[in-house]
Amino acid sequence: MPTNSAPLPSPISTPKPITIIAPTPTGYRLSLSLRDSIGAQTLWTRDTTVNHERPDPHVRSYSEAIATVVATCWHESSQIVFVLTVGAVVRLIAPLLTQKTHDPGVVAIDETGTFVVSLSGGHQGGADALARECAAILGVTPVITSASGQQNLPSLDCLGTPYGWQQGAGDWITVAAAMTQGQSIHVTQTCGSSLWQQTLLPNHPFTFARVQNSKSKIQNPKSKIQNSSPPQLWVSDQLPPVSEVPTISWHPRTLWIGLGCERNTDASLIETSLRQLLQDQGLAWEAIAGLATIDIKQDESAFQHLAQQYSWPIRYFTAAQLHTQSVPNPSEVVAQSVGTPSVAEAAALLAATLATTPGLHSPTSPLPHSLLVPKQVFKSTQGACTIAIARAQQEYNPRLGHLYLIGSGPGALSQLTAAARTALLRCDVVIGYGLYLDLLRPLFHPNQVIESSQITQEVQRAERAVTLAQQGLTVGMVSSGDCGIYGMAGLVLECLAQNQWDGQIPSIEVMPGITALQAIAARVGAPLMHDFCAISLSDLLTPWPVIEQRLDAAAQADFVVALYNPRSKTRLQGIEIALGIMKKWRSPRTPVAIARSLYREGESIQCLILDQLDVTTIDMLTVVLIGNASTFLHAGKMITPRGYVH
């Protein structure tokens, strides 16, 4: 492993906070319900609204004109949520608007919480995403008027953000307008994740160029694309060709810069030399992933300065690690000086290979040759430096990755928790069994990748979610009911543990959901007022003798028992054996509830007694609830007494 693989802290990467401005008492109360859920750090309200006897450290009050507060928050916030009329908000922000790449996203909410409007900075300012979150929390529909969103097209100016790509130059407005007008957009992608292409609907306007070899230059950057060509989206670590047509570019961060230098070489020489080298090679400055060098250079101020200025990580390697690499230009002089014949070339290769091969801890064997630019030496009165450039197959993503393990409840969107809704909206990728994702489809937005798979592919889903999160993406793993009860939460955590997860990267949140046990109980009355248990009758992962043992113990102990996965097309006998065990310990008149497709289309619910149960009406979409000795039926409801004295 490199001796230091963490990016240096940089003030550039510190995100600005979300601010809420709610002048009125009604708006203030509404804001309190939003503040924690959307992560707002500051809530502004009038001095007469706030309770000064019980101060809240996150609430700030004002007595001056609201315009003064807005002007202050404008430059300090990433997004601003106004609980105020749209007209008032427009008048307040109009003098402050400059350009969408710098302005905060602005969301306006009326005092009743009925309308949530993405007003300004919908894409790059994050207002569209924030409006969706606020609307999910309030249980209303967001008002989003961006053309791409209305047409279910990806936001071009946010396309590469989840993958850590950086924007290059381009005519962004013209290309985006062409896309929303249905014009063809020509895409050339030579590197970086192609996952974004999964967001495209069948009638999308993009046409894709064939790229034979991503390791070679595909086109001379000085050649021209004629103006008869369609607008172009360029995704590459190379500079786009000179073009007479509107072109925009995203640059995946695949280029690792191997560095060596004389002690105390000036940072300006290294930067100037690097910029010139990249330009000469037709490579993009924005595609730099980070720096790599030998560990004895950890105190080299020029390297530290560049890393901080551009938020680059530095990978440091020992001489022994560098010495293992086969390079085109080894130097005996360098070997005598630092103990290895190559620093710049070997460091670049090692950094690129580690980025391409997650989990490679001890790079001691020869690595695939991915050196784009062999070492070049630059000298001046400011010192001397050596630079080499290698390309990683996988781009560097500074985001740390996050996993949401989401319980989607029994099926109806009305039964999904507000927290789960918000989590779904924040995901770059949502993974799950196809049926469960279909039920959630109205909540997804155009910039999300939705990956569905079959019911027997749980391990593959878990591994896929972990892999994508390790690449820096925000990933949602969906389970029906509660993800921690017969769901995917345990399997995902097992996969993380097997990958030596440190408990922090990727970060993880488990979002609870309404289980089938809770759902059937709510539909049939109050059957869970005393001790209860759930037993799955599926023997795919649990041996049947163990299941029988648990059934017998639960029946003897007089638990109310919920039977999950009771009967499939190939597993017909389990439910009959289970009912036989129950009848051995329970009265034949014990109340039983059978529910199928709870809170979904085709829902059916029966309350009957144990002796009347027909197993042919039961399948994998059914949950069976068997009462205890005191459970009774009344007016179609199933009731288990808690034991209170009347």
Side-chain angles (χ1 to χ4, degrees):
M1 279 292 288
T3 55
N4 178 10
S5 61
L8 290 166
S10 170
I12 298 174
S13 62
T14 303
K16 293 181 178 180
I18 299 173
T19 300
I20 302 177
I21 300 176
T24 69
T26 302
Y28 175 70
R29 288 191 292 272
L30 179 69
S31 299
L32 291 175
S33 67
L34 287 173
R35 182 183 62 184
D36 293 339
S37 297
I38 65 173
Q41 294 187 15
T42 307
L43 167 57
W44 283 89
T45 189
R46 288 189 184 278
D47 190 63
T48 53
T49 300
V50 70
N51 184 347
H52 293 284
E53 294 181 359
R54 299 173 60 186
D56 185 326
H58 297 289
V59 175
R60 299 178 66 179
S61 61
Y62 65 92
S63 56
E64 68 271 30
I66 189 174
T68 304
V69 174
V70 174
T72 299
C73 296
W74 191 259
H75 302 289
E76 298 175 351
S77 307
S78 59
Q79 290 103 24
I80 303 177
V81 177
F82 290 88
V83 185
L84 201 60
T85 65
V86 167
V89 176
V90 169
R91 286 190 291 273
L92 285 167
I93 69 172
L96 303 172
L97 291 168
T98 55
Q99 51 185 321
K100 63 180 183 179
T101 55
H102 295 93
D103 292 336
V106 177
V107 173
I109 305 176
D110 71 298
E111 287 190 336
T112 66
T114 305
F115 301 102
V116 181
V117 183
S118 173
L119 196 60
S120 176
H123 293 167
Q124 295 188 53
D128 286 358
L130 185 58
R132 291 189 186 100
E133 286 190 28
C134 292
I137 295 163
L138 297 172
V140 298
T141 301
V143 180
I144 296 173
T145 58
S146 59
S148 60
Q150 294 296 312
Q151 298 179 36
N152 285 313
L153 293 169
S155 306
L156 292 178
D157 49 4
C158 298
L159 187 71
T161 302
Y163 315 105
W165 302 353
Q166 298 202 83
Q167 281 191 18
D171 190 347
W172 293 85
I173 293 176
T174 300
V175 176
M179 179 186 71
T180 57
Q181 291 166 13
Q183 296 181 34
S184 178
I185 306 296
H186 185 72
V187 180
T188 300
Q189 181 168 0
T190 68
C191 62
S193 174
S194 60
L195 197 61
W196 69 274
Q197 297 176 23
Q198 295 183 33
T199 68
L200 303 178
L201 297 178
N203 60 344
H204 66 78
F206 298 98
T207 60
F208 293 88
R210 284 189 174 184
V211 179
Q212 299 296 328
N213 183 1
S214 64
K215 291 188 177 182
S216 62
K217 295 195 186 73
I218 62 166
Q219 196 162 7
N220 185 337
K222 296 182 180 179
S223 64
K224 284 192 175 183
I225 296 177
Q226 301 302 315
N227 58 11
S228 59
S229 303
Q232 180 176 215
L233 166 61
W234 180 266
V235 182
S236 178
D237 51 17
Q238 305 167 48
L239 293 169
V242 176
S243 177
E244 296 177 355
V245 301
T247 300
I248 58 175
S249 55
W250 277 103
H251 298 298
R253 298 176 63 179
T254 60
L255 304 181
W256 286 93
I257 311 301
L259 289 178
C261 74
E262 291 181 352
R263 180 62 68 181
N264 298 322
T265 294
D266 196 278
S268 62
L269 170 64
I270 300 174
E271 179 174 351
T272 301
S273 303
L274 178 56
R275 286 186 181 275
Q276 186 61 55
L277 181 58
L278 289 166
Q279 185 70 35
D280 292 344
Q281 298 293 323
L283 298 170
W285 175 269
E286 294 84 358
I288 293 175
L291 309 179
T293 189
I294 192 167
D295 58 357
I296 61 175
K297 288 291 185 180
Q298 290 189 59
D299 60 347
E300 192 67 56
S301 61
F303 296 174
Q304 304 281 336
H305 173 80
L306 289 171
Q308 284 193 323
Q309 184 174 358
Y310 296 107
S311 297
W312 291 333
I314 305 182
R315 306 294 192 234
Y316 294 105
F317 299 100
T318 65
Q321 290 172 321
L322 297 174
H323 193 66
T324 62
Q325 305 311 300
S326 175
V327 296
N329 300 293
S331 167
E332 186 59 35
V333 173
V334 173
Q336 292 178 4
S337 175
V338 298
T340 178
S342 173
V343 171
E345 290 178 341
L349 280 168
L350 268 173
T353 304
L354 284 170
T356 303
T357 314
L360 180 63
H361 299 295
S362 299
T364 57
S365 57
L367 302 173
H369 188 278
S370 57
L371 198 66
L372 280 184
V373 183
K375 72 174 183 180
Q376 298 195 24
V377 179
F378 301 86
K379 295 181 178 180
S380 78
T381 56
Q382 297 173 304
C385 64
T386 305
I387 302 175
I389 304 174
R391 172 187 283 144
Q393 292 180 16
Q394 182 178 303
E395 65 266 58
Y396 167 73
N397 191 343
R399 299 171 67 192
L400 300 181
H402 189 78
L403 272 167
Y404 285 112
L405 306 180
I406 301 170
S408 63
L413 295 181
S414 61
Q415 302 302 309
L416 188 67
T417 68
R421 282 176 177 259
T422 303
L424 279 171
L425 293 170
R426 291 176 177 173
C427 293
D428 303 314
V429 183
V430 181
I431 298 174
Y433 171 48
L435 173 62
Y436 305 153
L437 296 186
D438 288 342
L439 295 168
L440 298 172
R441 202 159 293 278
L443 300 179
F444 300 146
H445 57 80
N447 294 317
Q448 289 180 306
V449 176
I450 311 301
E451 292 193 353
S452 62
S453 57
Q454 299 301 312
I455 199 166
T456 57
Q457 297 179 328
E458 289 82 5
V459 173
Q460 293 92 325
R461 284 200 291 275
E463 291 174 343
R464 175 68 168 165
V466 169
T467 297
L468 292 176
Q470 288 173 334
Q471 293 174 7
L473 298 176
T474 299
V475 182
M477 171 59 76
V478 172
S479 300
S480 67
D482 185 286
C483 59
I485 300 177
Y486 300 130
M488 291 294 296
L491 185 53
V492 170
L493 286 166
E494 285 181 47
C495 289
L496 286 167
Q498 291 169 2
N499 281 274
Q500 307 302 313
W501 181 49
D502 64 0
Q504 298 180 353
I505 300 173
S507 53
I508 186 168
E509 286 183 74
V510 181
M511 318 303 292
I514 297 172
T515 68
L517 178 66
Q518 293 169 293
I520 188 174
R523 283 299 206 210
V524 303
L528 303 180
M529 297 304 295
H530 223 293
D531 298 337
F532 58 90
C533 68
I535 299 175
S536 171
L537 298 189
S538 172
D539 59 357
L540 290 175
L541 301 175
T542 305
W544 181 254
V546 174
I547 296 173
E548 279 199 41
Q549 183 181 15
R550 291 170 180 173
L551 287 166
D552 195 70
Q556 285 190 63
D558 201 30
F559 283 107
V560 175
V561 179
L563 299 179
Y564 279 66
N565 307 312
R567 186 172 183 265
S568 70
K569 292 179 180 179
T570 59
R571 186 170 38 80
L572 304 175
Q573 300 301 315
I575 182 64
E576 294 184 358
I577 295 172
L579 294 176
I581 292 172
M582 290 294 158
K583 289 176 181 178
K584 184 170 69 171
W585 300 99
R586 305 278 166 98
S587 163
R589 300 196 62 78
T590 300
V592 177
I594 303 174
R596 187 179 189 278
S597 298
L598 284 162
Y599 293 91
R600 305 177 195 171
E601 186 178 351
E603 177 187 85
S604 64
I605 301 170
Q606 297 180 70
C607 286
L608 60 164
I609 59 175
L610 190 58
D611 233 17
Q612 296 174 333
L613 198 150
D614 179 5
V615 297
T616 62
T617 64
I618 296 171
D619 60 17
M620 286 294 285
L621 298 179
T622 306
V623 61
V624 178
L625 191 65
I626 302 170
N628 68 11
S630 60
T631 304
F632 63 93
L633 295 173
H634 178 78
K637 296 298 182 182
M638 186 172 173
I639 304 166
T640 300
R642 182 71 181 93
Y644 296 107
V645 177
H646 293 278

